[in-house]
Amino acid sequence: MTLTSPLPAPSAATVAVEPLLLDVDGMKCGGCVRAVERRLLEQPGVSQASVNLVTRTAWIGLDPAQGIPAEDPATALIASLQSLGFEAHRRDLVGPDPSRAEREQQRRWRQEWRQLIVALSLMLVSVLGHLVQGGHLPQALMALPGVPTLGDLGFHALVASAALLGPGRGILVRGARNAWQRTPSMDTLVGLGMGSAYLASLVAYLRPASGWPCFFNEPVMLLGFVLLGRFLEERARNRTGQALEQLVRLQPDTALLLLGDGPPREVHVGGLRPGDRVRLLPGDRVPVDGEVVEGHSAVDVSSLTGEPLPLEAGPGSELMAGMLNLQAPLELEVRRTGPESTLARIIALVEQAQARKAPIQSLADRVAGRFSVAVLLLALATFVFWWQWGTRLWPQVLMGADHGGHGAHGVLGAVATTPFSLALQLAIAVLVVACPCALGLATPTAITVGSGQAARSGLLFRGGDAIEMAARLESVLFDKTGTLTLGRPLVTAVLPAGGGDPAGAAGDALIQLAASLEQHTRHPLAHALLQEAQCRGLALAEVSDSRTEVGSGVEGRLEGQGGLARVGRPGWLQQHGLALSADLELQLDQLESEGATVLVVATPAALLGLVAVQDQPRADAAQALTDLGGMGLRLGVLSGDRREPVLQLGDRLGLPSTGLAWELNPQQKLEHILRWRQQGPVAMVGDGINDAPALAAADLGIAVGTGTQIAQDTADLVILGDRLESLVEALRLARRTLAKVKQNLLWAFGYNLIVLPIAAGALLPGFGLLLSPPLAALLMAVSSITVVVNALLLHGRP
């Protein structure tokens, strides 16, 4: 099995317009994503921008016609994002460095962990203070030496101030900056909720006569729950990118370089160049793309292609970086290194796939872009309504809430005893319970997990749009040769004249003569004859005066024979006076009706017999087509081959004759695809150069990994390896991924549509249900975590 690289190496002529991939820090919600995308699309030369909140990446399509800056376009884009408050850097300049990424992740987690511990400690102190104030703790804990009593408002003011100036400072600064940039985000909503509660309490504490509510516990508990939710969400989100990290770790950091006759020297993989030779010991991973020049061993390729059986590697075998040597030492000659290696291109393809959005995300993006503004307006309306009219219409909402008058506190929030305090509490709850994060995470979490899961099985989607289309397919069309079949013709029958034994001397003589005549040609049928001779252990005879007649056959003089021996099509030999017997004529008709190509072999003196050559179906083709049919997909074959082989293959694989087409040129394949598209989205599976236009024209182009480079460059889905059943796995995974996307979007929209009215007090008059700001913060955190956890359920599914 030989695996080709799924992506072409960038050339100097195309690098200026290749898509860019940026890492963007500081995004917290769908509003941030929308702001980043809008800013990128405003820049000269940017035709497309897609931002992933989960991986914090931006995929940017460039169009030279729109005026790309002469200097590096990434520099201008990074500067524009920095002016918006988001730090960014170019992904491909950093390179796949797992240790660097891991250090950065650990640093960020340590920082978030410190902030969380401080916030939760302050929240615990605040809760203890309220328990003391309510008389729920022993008298010994009612005071601490040298500081105000735990129940004093002055103490709570100090706790709240420490919380906002310490772990809450980042939220306040980012929220204010985003509001100033007219792109309000989740930080804006949370910061406004905490800040308003703190300022109202501060006014009430400093000026008791103002009558304002005093609840310093609100901002402390809000901050604690928000940071706890974000920390758990970040930990869960990190798991969505584990598949990509595992791909990055497949490439070892060092290799054993061979220098002349001396011992191998350990060098960094980045120092290897094409032409170098490296030694691969049992248990080592292949460090670069290379060709085996010495040694034989079994190589595990499952980490890249999903193939369950190891590859038997020997001289001439091509290995990709990341494969695992199992048995014996190998020597490799380096072919591709660094960003040109197949593994690096796979990683780049997966990164782009996770950054490119699915069309289903467009509605969530439109909502998220305006969501924060709508929540601010709803919070303002909630405050004005309950302050001015709500308590007059339903005075009972304040009755029974009097626990000592102004300034009373509950553990999970202040008790509303005045219209102003009730209005402020409800407005804060609206600000905090809203969750643009769930909207922003709904699609990218599922796409990130799905594309990573696919990559681990050797299935490379080019983006979320490709995953969505794969899930919506109604028809799948196949090329025949090299896709449904092996693409390597084999000898399937040997029929000596006169009824000789095909496996005995008569059959050997027939194959030896045919292979000897074909040994200097490059025709696929010649390869089949030479392979059969090798399997039988036959030595080839010397041939002189060899001549190939295109489309007919080969003739030449064999040593010891006076005339011309021939191997070729029956009609050609009949033109030279060699007629078939009645028995051979019947056998010829039977073989051709089964789709085989039949060659006649003759010496100068007599006709020796027939050899049938036929391309064989892939071993798993029948089962794969059965599974695809069971998924409700319509199946068909578009082939340039003759009618008989196509019909014969369709019969063997159980395909309906109405879905088969033969003797098609590339333009005719396009016409057939357009007709199939009238019945719904259609995929085209192929691997040849003549398949490239069809792959591009189909709704989803699928290339097998052993196909030509141009087919893979045109495809939306690349399947590495030889297993056709991988196509079934890809489409099933796409359907599960899209189902998770829909579930997440339903949850995100449903959550906000239900809890926002409740937070605004919709159930307060009839049911007495009031959502306190701390509980609102807890619900907001749970909603985001739910979306991520639901996406993670894709892991381990069959």
Side-chain angles (χ1 to χ4, degrees):
M1 177 182 61
T2 301
L3 299 172
T4 60
S5 173
L7 287 176
S11 64
T14 60
V15 70
V17 294
E18 285 185 350
L20 295 175
L21 198 63
L22 301 181
D23 285 321
V24 183
D25 295 328
M27 296 187 297
K28 299 296 182 181
C29 65
C32 299
V33 170
R34 186 65 174 173
V36 170
E37 286 184 347
R38 189 163 58 238
R39 176 58 63 91
L40 290 173
L41 289 171
E42 292 171 354
Q43 306 308 306
V46 176
S47 59
Q48 301 178 64
S50 181
V51 179
N52 188 314
L53 179 60
V54 177
T55 59
R56 296 185 177 91
T57 55
W59 181 88
I60 303 158
L62 302 176
D63 184 0
Q66 298 184 17
I68 298 176
E71 68 275 7
D72 181 11
T75 303
L77 297 176
I78 291 172
S80 69
L81 293 181
Q82 287 176 338
S83 67
L84 194 61
F86 298 99
E87 293 294 326
H89 58 266
R90 187 169 177 173
R91 170 71 64 86
D92 54 359
L93 294 182
V94 175
D97 183 353
S99 59
R100 179 187 181 278
E102 187 172 347
R103 289 195 304 269
E104 180 64 22
Q105 181 71 283
Q106 292 296 331
R107 184 196 63 79
R108 186 164 58 244
W109 278 350
R110 283 195 298 269
Q111 180 181 359
E112 292 179 356
W113 179 252
R114 287 194 297 268
Q115 291 179 341
L116 177 62
I117 291 299
V118 172
L120 292 180
S121 299
L122 293 173
M123 187 174 72
L124 178 61
V125 171
S126 180
V127 170
L128 289 175
H130 292 299
L131 292 175
V132 168
Q133 187 180 26
H136 301 296
L137 290 180
Q139 190 66 28
L141 296 178
M142 301 284 265
L144 293 176
V147 297
T149 62
L150 285 173
D152 288 346
L153 288 178
F155 178 79
H156 290 292
L158 290 174
V159 173
S161 300
L164 267 63
L165 294 177
R169 183 174 177 274
I171 294 177
L172 295 174
V173 171
R174 288 191 300 268
R177 183 175 57 202
N178 292 339
W180 178 258
Q181 296 279 355
R182 291 182 296 179
T183 56
S185 63
M186 189 70 224
D187 284 336
T188 305
L189 301 180
V190 174
L192 186 58
M194 292 191 305
S196 59
Y198 176 78
L199 291 176
S201 301
L202 191 62
V203 170
Y205 175 65
L206 298 177
R207 296 184 60 187
S210 64
W212 283 32
C214 183
F215 36 67
F216 284 114
N217 66 313
E218 299 282 2
V220 179
M221 301 195 71
L222 282 178
L223 180 63
F225 283 133
V226 167
L227 291 182
L228 176 61
R230 287 188 178 180
F231 182 79
L232 296 176
E233 176 190 319
E234 179 69 21
R235 299 289 291 191
R237 272 201 280 182
N238 179 62
R239 291 189 58 197
T240 65
Q242 284 184 347
L244 183 58
E245 293 176 4
Q246 290 170 0
L247 283 174
V248 172
R249 291 191 177 97
L250 288 179
Q251 185 172 36
D253 294 330
T254 60
L256 295 176
L257 177 64
L258 295 175
L259 299 171
D261 296 330
R265 304 293 184 182
E266 187 172 309
V267 298
H268 192 272
V269 170
L272 296 176
R273 295 293 180 268
D276 290 343
R277 288 198 174 191
V278 296
R279 176 166 294 169
L280 196 65
L281 300 178
D284 288 348
R285 288 203 176 272
V286 181
V288 292
D289 289 1
E291 180 179 332
V292 178
V293 293
E294 185 176 328
H296 292 81
S297 181
V299 178
D300 183 1
V301 300
S302 61
S303 55
L304 292 180
T305 69
E307 295 279 359
L309 298 178
L311 168 69
E312 294 298 328
S317 299
E318 293 186 11
L319 302 181
M320 295 191 304
M323 293 179 174
L324 179 64
N325 184 25
L326 297 176
Q327 289 181 330
L330 294 173
E331 288 189 13
L332 273 71
E333 182 174 323
V334 177
R335 291 286 185 260
R336 292 175 295 273
T337 63
E340 295 182 355
S341 70
T342 299
L343 179 59
R345 296 179 199 176
I346 290 175
I347 292 170
L349 185 59
V350 175
E351 288 176 335
Q352 292 186 22
Q354 294 179 347
R356 285 173 52 180
K357 290 185 177 180
I360 196 173
Q361 177 69 5
S362 57
L363 175 60
D365 286 344
R366 289 196 296 270
V367 172
R370 302 172 177 84
F371 186 80
S372 297
V373 175
V375 171
L376 289 172
L377 294 176
L378 178 60
L380 178 62
T382 299
F383 176 78
V384 172
F385 174 80
W386 286 105
W387 184 25
Q388 296 296 325
W389 302 292
T391 52
R392 297 179 185 177
L393 293 174
W394 300 288
Q396 71 273 16
V397 297
L398 296 177
M399 294 176 60
D402 190 358
H403 293 275
H406 160 71
H409 288 62
V411 173
L412 289 177
V415 177
T417 58
T418 66
F420 183 84
S421 63
L422 177 65
L424 188 59
Q425 270 193 288
L426 292 176
I428 294 173
V430 169
L431 290 171
V432 177
V433 80
C435 192
C437 296
L439 289 172
L441 292 170
T443 298
T445 50
I447 294 298
T448 300
V449 174
S451 58
Q453 183 100 343
R456 292 193 333 192
S457 301
L459 311 170
L460 305 179
F461 288 97
R462 289 194 180 271
D465 49 348
I467 292 179
E468 180 175 347
M469 181 54 66
R472 298 184 185 279
L473 288 177
E474 296 185 18
S475 304
V476 179
L477 304 178
F478 294 87
D479 176 50
K480 171 183 170 287
T481 304
T483 303
L484 290 177
T485 66
L486 298 175
R488 300 185 299 273
L490 302 175
V491 173
T492 57
V494 178
L495 302 175
D501 183 7
D508 288 348
L510 188 62
I511 293 298
Q512 185 179 39
L513 175 60
S516 298
L517 290 171
E518 294 277 9
Q519 62 183 306
H520 299 302
T521 69
R522 294 291 180 267
H523 195 279
L525 299 181
H527 289 289
L529 293 171
L530 292 170
Q531 182 177 351
E532 181 68 16
Q534 184 178 12
C535 292
R536 292 177 178 237
L538 304 175
L540 302 182
E542 291 292 333
V543 178
S544 61
D545 298 334
S546 177
R547 186 178 70 88
T548 300
E549 189 164 329
V550 178
S552 297
V554 179
E555 62 183 13
R557 299 181 187 274
L558 275 71
E559 186 177 0
Q561 296 185 5
L564 291 174
R566 294 181 177 89
V567 56
R569 297 191 180 279
W572 180 61
L573 270 76
Q574 288 175 354
Q575 292 175 7
H576 290 81
L578 296 171
L580 300 178
S581 65
D583 290 342
L584 288 180
E585 284 280 5
L586 290 176
Q587 292 173 322
L588 172 65
D589 293 340
Q590 176 66 28
L591 291 171
E592 288 185 338
S593 67
E594 295 175 355
T597 298
V598 182
L599 302 176
V600 180
V601 183
T603 66
L607 189 146
L608 295 184
L610 306 179
V611 178
V613 179
Q614 191 172 9
D615 192 7
Q616 296 297 301
R618 291 181 184 267
D620 60 348
Q623 185 60 48
L625 294 178
T626 300
D627 293 341
L628 291 173
M631 295 170 63
L633 295 168
R634 294 186 292 270
L635 305 176
V637 175
L638 305 181
S639 176
D641 205 347
R642 294 175 295 110
R643 177 178 182 272
E644 291 78 9
V646 174
L647 291 175
Q648 175 67 20
L649 180 68
D651 183 63
R652 292 182 65 177
L653 299 181
L655 293 171
S657 58
T658 54
L660 305 180
W662 49 85
E663 298 180 3
L664 302 179
N665 58 37
Q667 179 60 37
Q668 290 171 327
K669 285 188 177 183
L670 291 180
E671 295 171 358
H672 277 269
I673 289 175
L674 293 177
R675 285 198 289 269
W676 279 80
R677 289 181 67 180
Q678 296 175 3
Q679 305 177 57
V682 59
M684 178 67 193
V685 188
D687 75 328
I689 291 179
N690 63 331
D691 297 325
L695 295 181
D699 295 294
L700 186 77
I702 303 173
V704 294
T706 52
T708 62
Q709 189 62 61
I710 188 171
Q712 294 183 7
D713 297 343
T714 312
D716 303 299
L717 168 61
V718 177
I719 298 176
L720 300 177
D722 291 327
R723 295 188 308 129
L724 199 58
E725 287 184 351
S726 295
L727 173 60
V728 181
E729 298 174 14
L731 299 188
R732 285 175 174 167
L733 179 60
R735 290 187 176 187
R736 294 200 306 271
T737 301
L738 187 61
K740 289 298 180 185
V741 169
K742 292 179 178 179
Q743 292 169 12
N744 284 349
L745 287 175
L746 179 63
W747 166 260
F749 281 109
Y751 164 83
N752 285 293
L753 288 175
I754 293 174
V755 299
L756 279 173
I758 295 176
L763 300 181
L764 185 56
F767 300 92
L769 181 60
L770 181 146
L771 190 61
S772 68
L775 284 177
L778 186 60
L779 285 176
M780 181 270 293
V782 170
S783 68
S784 297
I785 296 172
T786 300
V787 167
V788 179
V789 171
N790 186 49
L792 287 172
L793 293 178
L794 281 169
H795 282 305
R797 288 288 302 277

